């Protein structure tokens, strides 16, 4: 074995040495934070060498990168909607990268073609779609765009050939708490941001069906053509689930495509205790799910399914004759690449397929139930701990939003005026900054400007690394400790 290949056998050891695999509680800081200009002086980012490096130098480069990277597998990383990876998913990711093949034809990815087919069928069954089709895409934003492309083609079949010129002005609808990818989709597809209607939400962040119907009627009166409604299963900030049955009734009444962005909350389907959150979503025309979020499949792993079989191919196919010859020696219906917007496409299905194979649905449910249990424990601890205040009384998913109010700022309700709240919003950011700089906890904060609410913490509980009541309590204790130091 040449030295350059020998490096690969060292990579797992280096990852273990730097506590990036199954990080223990005492496995160092979540991040060794440095400002960008300082980091440039600590790591050589330039690409100007002419001669090959010694293997020891290459190892040193890798170690520098690891030293200053975020340990998303640390028990105190709660900053994003994703965190650590499932070990079976990681194994799948390493294998597919090593095999370095694409997902467009059966001849270059025979096993993976059938794996993706089996995974799509499993997801269709899981989410209550009796029949249909699907594809793995490079992230939830693209999955949501696939849905809008399919809806546009269904509404205006000639659009693929003629473009949007001389066509009715299309209008899409989504909640004001929905993911920003919907806004990007209307831009990229030429529909226009002015033709995206943001529907009002209730105090818990759920779309209000009556507001949706009024918005549709208003668009019809303007002479434009409604065609697409995006509903959300697990909003980014509050983890809210829209009322799918009521939205489905409205979409059926006006003959509109209903999509469910379940990139975050779709994982609830794996839990018999929590699958009720998705009730009514089976009536949608399409669904997007990211197992790389709560469930811990390695980034990226995004699944898009839809009910109408053949529509993906019909609206996306370009019939490239150098890839999709029709006189091949096998059944060309297994060449799935032409229903994709991509040509080269990573084999993402293997990661989550291997997780299903290794853990079974019961094993996956155990992971999901534990995440929900820990989120509920966290909520109750916050509810009962002096100085903490929940943003909502109850949470549907595993996102918990709250404030910490230091003792010196605890006042009666009638003294909690605008300037007082401004100080609480400021303190939230300051607590975050201190915890990042000392590497103890990474947790995000967000504002909700549409509801005139400033910064609050957003705690995200995921399946990996497996959370516990102790890890939940540590985050609360650390926020309290840092908050009292300010």
């Amino acid at each position: 074995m040449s030295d350059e290949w020998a490096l690969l056998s060292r990579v797992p050891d280096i990852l273990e040495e730097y506590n990036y695999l199954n990080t223990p509680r005492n496995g160092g800081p979540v991040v060794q934070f440095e400002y960008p200009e300082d980091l440039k002086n600590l790591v050589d980012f330039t690409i100007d060498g002419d001669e090959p490096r010694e293997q020891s130098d290459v190892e040193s480069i890798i170690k520098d990168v690891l030293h200053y990277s975020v340990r998303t597998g640390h028990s105190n990383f709660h900053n994003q909607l994703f965190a650590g990876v499932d070990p079976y998913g990681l194994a799948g990711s390493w294998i597919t990268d090593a095999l370095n093949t694409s997902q467009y034809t059966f001849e270059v990815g025979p096993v993976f073609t059938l794996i993706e087919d089996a995974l799509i069928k499993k997801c269709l069954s899981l989410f209550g779609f009796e029949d249909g089709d699907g594809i793995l895409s490079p992230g939830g934003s693209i999955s949501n765009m696939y849905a809008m492309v399919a809806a546009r083609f269904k509404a205006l079949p000639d659009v693929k050939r003629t473009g949007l010129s001389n066509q009715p002005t299309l209008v899409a609808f989504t909640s004001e708490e929905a993911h920003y990818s919907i806004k990007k989709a209307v831009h990229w597809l030429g529909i226009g941001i002015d033709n995206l209607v943001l529907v009002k939400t209730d105090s818990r962040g759920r779309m209000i069906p009556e507001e949706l119907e009024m918005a549709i009627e208003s668009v019809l009166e303007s002479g434009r053509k409604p065609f697409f409604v995006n509903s959300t299963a697990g909003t980014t900030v509050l983890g809210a689930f829209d009322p799918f049955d009521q939205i489905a009734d409205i979409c059926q009444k006006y003959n509109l495509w209903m999509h469910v962005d379940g990139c975050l909350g779709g994982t609830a389907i794996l839990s018999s205790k929590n699958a009720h959150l998705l009730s009514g979503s089976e009536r949608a025309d399409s669904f997007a799910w990211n197992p790389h979020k709560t469930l811990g499949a390695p980034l990226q792993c995004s699944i898009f399914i839809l009910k109408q079989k053949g529509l993906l191919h019909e609206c996306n196919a370009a019939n490239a004759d150098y890839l999709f010859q029709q006189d091949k020696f096998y059944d060309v219906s297994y060449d799935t690449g032409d229903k994709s917007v991509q040509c080269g496409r990573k084999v993402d299905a293997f990661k989550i397929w291997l997780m299903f194979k290794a853990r079974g649905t019961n094993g996956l449910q155990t992971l999901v139930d534990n995440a929900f249990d820990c989120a509920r424990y966290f909520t109750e601890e916050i509810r009962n701990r002096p100085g903490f205040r929940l943003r909502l009384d109850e949470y549907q998913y595993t996102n918990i939003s709250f404030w910490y109010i230091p003792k010196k700022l605890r006042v009666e309700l009638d003294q909690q005026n605008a300037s007082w709240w401004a100080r609480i919003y400021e303190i939230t950011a300051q607590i975050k900054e201190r915890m990042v700089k000392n590497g103890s906890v990474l947790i995000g904060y967000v504002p909700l400007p549409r509801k005139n609410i400033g910064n609050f913490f957003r705690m995200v509980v995921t399946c990996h690394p497996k959370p516990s009541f102790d890890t939940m309590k540590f985050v609360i204790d650390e926020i309290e400790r840092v908050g009292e130091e300010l």
Side-chain angles (χ1 to χ4, degrees):
M1 180 185 292
S2 66
D3 284 343
E4 59 188 22
W5 286 99
L7 174 66
L8 296 179
S9 65
R10 287 278 300 132
V11 169
D13 293 335
I14 296 171
L15 288 169
E16 286 281 5
E17 177 186 345
Y18 279 78
N19 288 317
Y20 276 89
L21 298 179
N22 196 26
T23 309
R25 282 291 302 275
N26 59 352
V30 185
V31 62
Q32 183 70 46
F33 180 81
E34 300 288 346
Y35 287 100
E37 294 306 315
D38 295 330
L39 193 54
K40 289 176 184 178
N41 295 323
L42 294 166
V43 179
D44 182 6
F45 292 101
T46 59
I47 307 175
D48 54 9
D50 295 325
E51 299 301 322
R53 298 262 195 166
E54 294 292 331
Q55 287 299 93
S56 59
D57 290 341
V58 177
E59 281 197 25
S60 294
I61 292 168
I62 292 171
K63 290 177 179 180
D64 282 345
V65 169
L66 291 176
H67 183 72
Y68 296 105
S69 291
V70 176
R71 289 180 172 84
T72 60
H74 199 291
S75 59
N76 299 329
F77 177 86
H78 303 282
N79 206 69
Q80 312 300 135
L81 298 178
F82 64 88
V85 294
D86 186 293
Y88 298 109
L90 181 58
S93 183
W94 283 351
I95 290 167
T96 54
D97 278 351
L99 294 181
N100 195 38
T101 193
S102 186
Q103 191 79 67
Y104 40 55
T105 63
F106 178 81
E107 61 190 289
V108 296
V111 178
F112 296 128
T113 297
L114 299 184
I115 282 173
E116 184 176 55
D117 182 63
L119 179 64
I120 293 301
K121 287 176 179 173
K122 176 66 174 179
C123 290
L124 289 168
S125 173
L126 268 178
F127 291 104
F129 286 23
E130 291 182 7
D131 197 10
D133 198 359
I135 197 166
L136 273 287
S137 80
S141 294
I142 303 300
S143 289
N144 290 336
M145 198 175 298
Y146 268 116
M148 196 174 289
V149 169
R152 184 180 67 174
F153 184 80
K154 187 77 178 291
L156 301 173
D158 289 339
V159 74
K160 181 176 178 180
R161 181 175 53 84
T162 65
L164 289 171
S165 298
N166 302 316
Q167 297 279 11
T169 300
L170 295 175
V171 178
F173 304 82
T174 193
S175 88
E176 60 186 2
E177 301 298 330
H179 193 259
Y180 67 89
S181 59
I182 304 301
K183 183 179 290 187
K184 290 196 173 188
V186 293
H187 159 51
W188 272 54
L189 298 181
I191 292 164
I193 292 172
D194 288 348
N195 294 312
L196 175 64
V197 177
L198 301 182
V199 181
K200 291 179 181 178
T201 57
D202 63 18
S203 61
R204 296 181 177 275
R206 301 170 296 193
M207 183 188 289
I208 302 171
E210 295 80 8
E211 293 286 344
L212 171 63
E213 185 157 20
M214 284 192 294
I216 292 169
E217 288 286 356
S218 177
V219 166
L220 287 170
E221 290 172 6
S222 73
R224 296 175 293 166
K225 182 179 177 63
F227 83 110
F228 176 88
V229 174
N230 174 69
S231 57
T232 307
T235 57
T236 302
V237 177
L238 297 177
F241 286 67
D242 288 337
F244 303 117
D245 263 321
Q246 292 170 273
I247 293 170
D249 288 342
I250 293 169
C251 289
Q252 188 174 348
K253 177 179 177 180
Y254 293 94
N255 192 29
L256 305 181
W257 184 285
M258 177 182 170
H259 174 62
V260 176
D261 174 2
C263 290
L264 176 61
T267 295
I269 202 68
L270 296 171
S271 167
S272 59
K273 297 177 184 177
N274 299 288
H276 64 89
L277 292 169
L278 293 159
S279 179
S281 66
E282 72 280 357
R283 298 176 61 190
D285 296 285
S286 56
F287 196 104
W289 176 37
N290 284 2
H292 70 234
K293 290 187 174 174
T294 306
L295 197 59
L299 283 158
Q300 60 202 21
C301 189
S302 183
I303 301 166
F304 171 70
I305 56 173
L306 72 170
K307 281 183 176 171
Q308 186 170 336
K309 204 161 190 173
L311 184 62
L312 263 179
H313 185 274
E314 193 177 354
C315 72
N316 293 322
N319 304 310
D321 54 16
Y322 57 86
L323 279 178
F324 308 115
Q325 305 93 333
Q326 298 304 294
D327 59 351
K328 289 182 178 180
F329 57 92
Y330 59 82
D331 183 353
V332 295
S333 68
Y334 286 103
D335 287 353
T336 58
D338 219 10
K339 67 183 180 182
S340 165
V341 71
Q342 302 165 259
C343 183
R345 187 159 62 91
K346 279 182 68 67
V347 181
D348 290 323
F350 183 52
K351 294 176 282 193
I352 180 63
W353 180 87
L354 191 58
M355 289 166 63
F356 270 108
K357 283 286 194 180
R359 296 190 181 277
T361 52
N362 289 341
L364 292 173
Q365 172 168 283
T366 298
L367 291 172
V368 177
D369 284 346
N370 180 65
F372 271 92
D373 289 344
C374 287
R376 292 186 185 108
Y377 171 84
F378 188 93
T379 303
E380 290 309 307
E381 284 291 301
I382 289 290
R383 191 190 313 280
N384 297 312
R385 180 85 67 102
F388 286 87
R389 182 179 298 186
L390 290 167
R391 167 68 184 85
L392 302 175
D393 290 335
E394 300 290 342
Y395 295 89
Q396 292 181 286
Y397 202 59
T398 60
N399 301 6
I400 315 301
S401 52
F402 63 95
W403 292 278
Y404 179 68
I405 303 164
K407 290 178 182 177
K408 63 185 178 184
L409 288 174
R410 294 175 199 172
V411 297
E412 298 298 326
L413 282 174
D414 59 2
Q415 296 177 283
Q416 296 176 13
N417 53 28
S419 61
W420 182 86
W421 273 110
R423 180 65 181 134
I424 298 303
Y425 301 152
E426 183 181 26
I427 281 175
T428 302
Q430 290 173 347
I431 293 174
K432 155 86 179 212
E433 178 184 354
R434 289 203 179 190
M435 292 193 301
V436 171
K437 287 180 175 178
N438 66 32
S440 61
V441 172
L442 256 67
I443 180 173
Y445 67 81
V446 289
L448 280 177
R450 284 182 297 274
K451 304 220 182 257
N452 296 315
I453 297 172
N455 296 333
F456 53 85
F457 289 111
R458 182 195 66 174
M459 172 70 172
V460 181
V461 184
T462 62
C463 294
H464 294 286
K466 189 176 179 180
S468 68
F469 291 176
D470 283 344
T471 61
M472 298 295 98
K473 186 174 182 297
F474 178 87
V475 174
I476 298 170
D477 290 344
E478 183 67 2
I479 290 173
E480 183 178 49
R481 184 188 69 80
V482 173
E484 291 305 319
E485 288 180 348
L486 295 175

